[in-house]
Amino acid sequence: MNQTLHILTSAGLYITLFAYFIAMVFYWFQLITKNKLNGQLATAFTVIGWVGNTIILVARTILAHRLPLANGYEFILTFCWGTVLIYLFIQLHYRLKELGAFVMPIPFLLLSFVVITMGSNEMIVQAIPPALKSNWLTLHVLTAIFSYGAFAVSFGLAVLYLFKAHSGTSSVIKAFVSRVPDIDILDELSYKIILFAFSFLTLVIITGAIWAEYAWGTYWSWDPKETWSLITWIIYAVYLHARLMHDWKGKRAAWLAIIGFAAVLFTFFGVNYFLPGLHSYA
Amino acid sequence: MKKTNQTFWHFFTSMKTGIIILGLIVLVAGLGTFISLDVYSSVCFKLLLGILCINIIACSISRFKGLRKRIHHPPIPRNINAVPHKICSSITGTNDDLFCNLEKNLRSRGYRFTSAETDDGWAFVAQKYRFGYWGAYIVHIAFVIIIIGAMMGTLGFSGGFMALKGEVISFNQIPLNKGSATKDYEIKINSIEDRYLANGERDNWYTNISILREGKELARGNTSVNHPFSYDGVKYYQSRYADYALIVIEKNNIKQEELVMLGQTSNEKEISNELSHRFKQRVDKSDLYVKGLKLQNRPIVYLQIFVTDKGEPSVVNLTPGQNRLVFDEYKITLLELTNATGLEIKSDPGVPIVWLGSGTLLLGLIISFYWRPLLVSGIFTPQDRSGTLLMGMYAGKTIKQNEAEFNGILKELQRIN
Ligand code: HEM
């Protein structure tokens, strides 16, 4: 049984990576050729990848007797899962296939990162230390998946927005994005997704603080990961205010959304690889 | 003087100031993660937080009246220019029919409808989800509550101690690294346990403690990692753990007891390797040194005994009650296995305030994001026997969504008229 599950997780990883890659390429084709079939194939492969992604996570949950949220490897897989889920929802709800060309590179690159840099050490199912056995921590990571996933999609939207906004100056770009909805719709959609992600990021920070209070007795210790999550939060708070202030919508808002997502990635990766801290496990 | 006051007030109530300060906080906080200076407790950083707080409070005060007015008495347009024009349309119809249909339509959609007569016709304003305006207000207040809670943290104290099983420590003996506190009770360490699950994984470290006053037990409970014990506003956190072996060394009928600190290993093959990484502990006033290891989750101890002038050390393994002879003259008996716990104590009166602020913040965000106020207003100008209603809706922050709502209202009116 366990042997089968182990094989399932390692084979699943390559299948998922491959499916996300093919999906990404088809989304690009679709952008260039406008061929409906490309878009349908892209969606099909995205769904296949997502199912593969789900299977890995379920298998791992069974193997570990806990949710797969304990180390960097598990978190990246869950993050990709959340990003693609939110993306698929937006695509189906708003009929926005062009977005895939800008969102799918994110899970693809992250999974490539896993395959290239992580050894079997990280992929092995490990026991978690007592400090990590906390329902608050589970909530903390679960909310992070939805928050980061939605920020990833808002990043894709911001890039798509800038692409479309610049189409006035280039006939090639114009041809690519002719079927993309009006930029005002993209802008508002991006705003709504950021509201969702910001609410969840607030929950991430609060549940993290509650967990830290239980585990270490200090809800806030300015460790780099905490500090960077606060910075990310403030950047998006500035985004929300900037829209109210001198009508900072459109291009400037899109750039802020891109900077915000860079901060998300830095909180997630940069802190682990460049800065020391308490959060060394995830 | 009045002018400076006004400039001051204007400075602090400006959202631009707020954004710039937020930007500065991001900059300083971000820099702090790269350099090894503790910028977060610096005066400069605290000053920034203080100014942000003042800014938010000032902004909230200055917006309070306007907000209340907007919620309870939204302005009814007096002329055509006062009708929202980003989302706007006009509709013709007879005076009374139009009014009745409009009111019925808006009320059935849950709008609060207010109207007034104008010089020659009438005007109206209708609002839905109007309390949503409080959302952003609540968010800002919540932020201030959190900062106040954080500042209250400076009134707390923290410290820590290490104690053996059975030890009783007077609270006032506990060394504090922050703040000060005196209490008239003692803490007794009843038991310490390094517990494992059936599958061999570590469950947790448990310390059972009692609070005693003059020998009388006031409270008793467990503390383990992630589950602190709390009494009298002080929390006890399980933070360290150490195994000890109580051994007796007997030579020429002279007995000596010694408490040896033990390392832990889960792998018997690693014993010599692990021992080589440990420090030698000198047995009090003797020529004997010892290093010790305990097998994880099992009552087996490995001792490495060194005696000056005797060359290579000797390694023995013992379970409680067993003894061994080393170097032909020392009888080493393992009396019992014991352990010590490291507890941290913390008291922070600001914590409940911070949680209150966090809850309020979430509430405010939900209201502000998902309880979007809608406002429609319009003015009717009669011409002959019918007339024109110019009607508009505030675009708010989600113009497309509001447009859809507005078009719904409009369609229904056109269908009836
Ligand atoms: C630094 C000083 C700040 C000032 C002067 C300020 C001012 C404002 C103003 C005037 C609004 C518009 C309110 C409305 O639409 O009814 C607003 C909205 C908002 N503010 Fe602030 N704010 C500040 C800091 C913050 C901070 C630190 C947060 C942290 C979360 C925050 C979160 C929000 C949110 C969530 C909204 C609603 C945005 C939306 O609905 O799109 N503000 N702020």
Side-chain angles (χ1 to χ4, degrees), chain A residues 186-208:
Chain A
L186 294 181
D187 185 52
E188 193 163 314
L189 182 57
S190 172
Y191 172 62
K192 281 186 179 167
I193 293 172
I194 286 178
L195 291 187
F196 170 84
F198 185 78
S199 315
F200 271 82
L201 183 58
T202 311
L203 265 175
V204 174
I205 295 174
I206 293 173
T207 49

Side-chain angles (χ1 to χ4, degrees), chain A residues 5 8-17 49-63 68 73 77 111:
Chain A
L5 289 173
L8 213 58
T9 48
S10 43
L13 180 61
Y14 288 96
I15 293 170
T16 306
L17 175 66
W50 187 77
V51 170
N53 204 336
T54 311
I55 290 172
I56 305 172
L57 294 175
V58 171
R60 214 162 156 99
T61 305
I62 297 169
L63 278 171
Y73 165 75
L77 273 169
L111 286 190

Side-chain angles (χ1 to χ4, degrees), chain B residues 130-142:
Chain B
R130 61 201 169 111
F131 292 108
Y133 285 119
W134 287 119
Y137 206 85
I138 293 170
V139 170
H140 297 107
I141 301 290

Side-chain angles (χ1 to χ4, degrees), chain B residues 23-264:
Chain B
L24 283 174
I25 289 176
V26 163
L27 216 68
V28 177
L31 223 64
T33 61
F34 289 100
I35 55 177
S36 50
L37 279 176
D38 179 22
V39 298
Y40 310 107
S41 51
S42 71
V43 179
C44 161
F45 193 68
K46 285 183 176 157
L47 203 69
L48 277 175
L49 285 180
I51 297 174
L52 180 71
C53 245
I54 296 173
N55 182 227
I56 295 179
I57 293 171
C59 203
S60 298
I61 292 172
S62 88
R63 281 172 4 106
F64 185 76
K65 264 193 185 155
L67 206 59
R68 259 188 50 171
K69 184 158 184 298
R70 182 147 58 147
I71 290 168
H72 296 286
H73 308 285
I76 298 174
R78 289 284 151 209
N79 57 55
I80 286 176
N81 293 332
V83 175
H85 52 272
K86 264 195 188 151
I87 304 173
C88 185
S89 195
S90 58
I91 185 167
T92 50
T94 51
N95 191 343
D96 290 347
D97 285 351
L98 203 52
F99 185 85
C100 281
N101 288 337
L102 181 72
E103 183 176 5
K104 213 165 79 192
N105 183 339
L106 287 171
R107 281 198 198 280
S108 73
R109 283 171 178 266
Y111 281 79
R112 222 171 72 109
F113 184 88
T114 327
S115 62
E117 290 193 0
T118 57
D119 295 341
D120 47 357
W122 47 268
F124 80 96
V125 62
Q127 254 182 324
K128 190 174 171 180
Y129 305 135
R130 61 201 169 111
F131 292 108
Y133 285 119
W134 287 119
Y137 206 85
I138 293 170
V139 170
H140 297 107
I141 301 290
F143 198 80
V144 175
I145 296 175
I146 292 175
I147 293 186
I148 291 172
M151 289 195 302
M152 281 171 68
T154 54
L155 303 173
F157 59 85
S158 66
F161 62 97
M162 195 91 194
L164 282 163
K165 185 161 75 188
E167 243 182 289
V168 178
I169 302 109
S170 157
F171 185 94
N172 298 334
Q173 284 172 353
I174 299 172
L176 299 182
N177 51 31
K178 196 190 113 194
S180 63
T182 53
K183 306 276 182 196
D184 61 348
Y185 48 71
E186 289 107 43
I187 295 122
K188 182 175 181 210
I189 309 298
N190 299 313
S191 69
I192 305 163
E193 194 190 346
D194 180 13
R195 199 183 292 169
Y196 284 79
L197 297 169
N199 64 2
E201 281 177 22
R202 176 174 274 121
D203 172 17
N204 211 326
W205 297 274
Y206 293 87
T207 304
N208 186 273
I209 57 182
S210 291
I211 305 290
L212 306 174
R213 186 189 286 135
E214 290 158 6
K216 214 178 113 218
E217 189 172 269
L218 303 177
R220 187 187 178 111
N222 271 322
T223 170
S224 60
V225 174
N226 256 317
H227 307 278
F229 170 74
S230 168
Y231 179 75
D232 186 28
V234 184
K235 285 187 178 161
Y236 297 79
Y237 291 87
Q238 179 72 51
S239 83
R240 274 176 300 158
Y241 173 87
D243 284 296
Y244 285 90
L246 183 61
I247 59 169
V248 179
I249 302 131
E250 199 176 341
K251 184 190 173 190
N252 304 333
N253 283 331
I254 301 168
K255 286 187 182 179
Q256 193 175 353
E257 274 192 15
E258 180 73 15
L259 203 54
V260 181
M261 194 172 178
L262 304 173
Q264 263 199 13

